[in-house]
Amino acid sequence: MTKTFLSAAAAAALLATPAAARDGNWYVGAEAGIIKITDSDVDRSFPDDDWVPWLDVDHNLGFDVGFIAGYDLGLVRLEGEIAYKRARHNDYEIDANAPGPFPGGGDEPVVPGASINADGRTSITSGMINALLDLGGDGGVGFYAGGGIGIARVSMTIDQLGTSKYHLKDTGLAWQLIAGLRFPISDNVDAGVKYRYFNVSDVKGGLYEVPFDARTDIHAHSLLASLIYNFGSREVAPPPPPPPPMTVVPPPAPSQTCPDGSVILATEACPPPPPPPPPPPEPERG
């Protein structure tokens, strides 16, 4: 599932065109989807003893919901995230080398190597700060990827393990990797899908009404649908400037050439011809 999603995301990133319409704006959103918590190996320790393998917790598919709020810097987005994850347990497999004692009773024997039907659950409440590389998205598909770090509160209830019920609670440092696609569906709203890998290591805690402690690691994969509201709408290009006014050049007025060679408008009269020269004087008779 992870490889398929990341391959599709990378292909979309190559086709996406950069957009700046969301830059410099705040956004909020909600997301929800499914989660698969990988098998959790639980170790236990009696007082003054070393940690030893105890059991493996197999999880069913669960749900993952969250809320985000962030700011788009352009190429990078920074956001805060609050999320809640929960998945029920499918079965418990007792480690083949787990030392006793084991709780008695129940419908199934609790012995090393046994696989027992489970009725427990794991829930995680987390607060994270994410930094995401953001490409494209205003006019088409956008791709983002990055990671986050924060705090997670883990609660694991181990039930139907014989006649006993165990409850492990702890708060620890969490980190995650994120990749997603988003699609604008209006000027302000984006829809999307997101993949998230979530990790909390070395979760420790005391178990209720039993004289030993337990510890485990949480690794989870989520596939989420998201709906994001952007406070800045897409920029609208200004209309092109009007063309410059056309200059109408009137046609030249008709003209005429007068007998004296001058050129004047056809509506004007030529100047009169000059008077003839006086006749020459007559010669004197002798």
Side-chain angles (χ1 to χ4, degrees):
M1 180 179 70
T2 303
K3 292 181 178 179
T4 301
F5 181 84
L6 292 178
S7 298
L14 295 177
L15 297 176
T17 56
R22 308 301 195 196
D23 296 357
N25 292 306
W26 293 92
Y27 62 91
V28 295
E31 52 195 21
I34 58 174
I35 186 172
K36 176 59 178 178
I37 302 177
T38 60
D39 292 357
S40 299
D41 295 323
V42 182
D43 299 334
R44 71 179 186 182
S45 173
F46 287 91
D48 302 323
D49 284 346
D50 295 331
W51 293 100
V52 295
W54 181 31
L55 57 88
D56 178 84
V57 179
D58 179 26
H59 292 81
N60 291 318
L61 285 176
F63 66 87
D64 186 349
V65 296
F67 298 93
I68 58 175
Y71 189 77
D72 193 336
L73 298 170
L75 187 60
V76 175
R77 285 192 285 135
L78 298 177
E79 65 183 26
E81 169 197 299
I82 297 176
Y84 179 76
K85 309 164 180 62
R86 183 183 177 96
R88 299 196 65 84
H89 298 163
N90 182 41
D91 60 58
Y92 304 126
E93 183 175 343
I94 308 300
D95 191 274
N97 298 315
F102 298 98
D107 297 330
E108 298 175 89
V110 183
V111 296
S115 181
I116 301 170
N117 290 329
D119 193 30
R121 58 199 172 275
T122 299
S123 61
I124 307 166
T125 303
S126 59
M128 311 292 289
I129 299 295
N130 303 321
L132 306 171
L133 180 67
D134 189 23
L135 300 174
D138 184 57
V141 178
F143 170 74
Y144 61 90
I149 191 168
I151 299 295
R153 176 70 170 174
V154 179
S155 176
M156 179 181 285
T157 300
I158 301 172
D159 201 1
Q160 296 299 311
L161 190 62
T163 57
S164 300
K165 182 177 181 178
Y166 307 93
H167 198 177
L168 169 61
K169 282 188 175 182
D170 194 14
T171 301
L173 181 68
W175 59 271
Q176 62 186 9
L177 299 176
I178 295 171
L181 299 173
R182 55 191 176 90
F183 320 85
I185 58 178
S186 75
D187 283 350
N188 294 88
V189 179
D190 294 342
V193 292
K194 174 192 287 187
Y195 165 77
R196 172 164 59 210
Y197 170 76
F198 185 84
N199 180 87
V200 188
S201 298
D202 203 22
V203 177
K204 298 179 181 178
L207 298 171
Y208 293 166
E209 301 178 358
V210 290
F212 58 84
D213 294 332
R215 71 178 182 186
T216 189
D217 297 329
I218 299 293
H219 309 281
H221 304 270
S222 298
L223 186 61
L224 309 167
S226 61
L227 198 63
I228 309 297
Y229 181 83
N230 302 277
F231 289 98
S233 61
R234 284 184 282 179
E235 295 175 350
V236 178
M246 296 181 61
T247 302
V248 178
V249 180
S255 61
Q256 63 175 325
T257 303
C258 296
D260 61 357
S262 62
V263 179
I264 62 173
L265 296 176
T267 56
E268 297 177 354
C270 287
E282 294 183 0
E284 294 181 359
R285 294 179 180 182

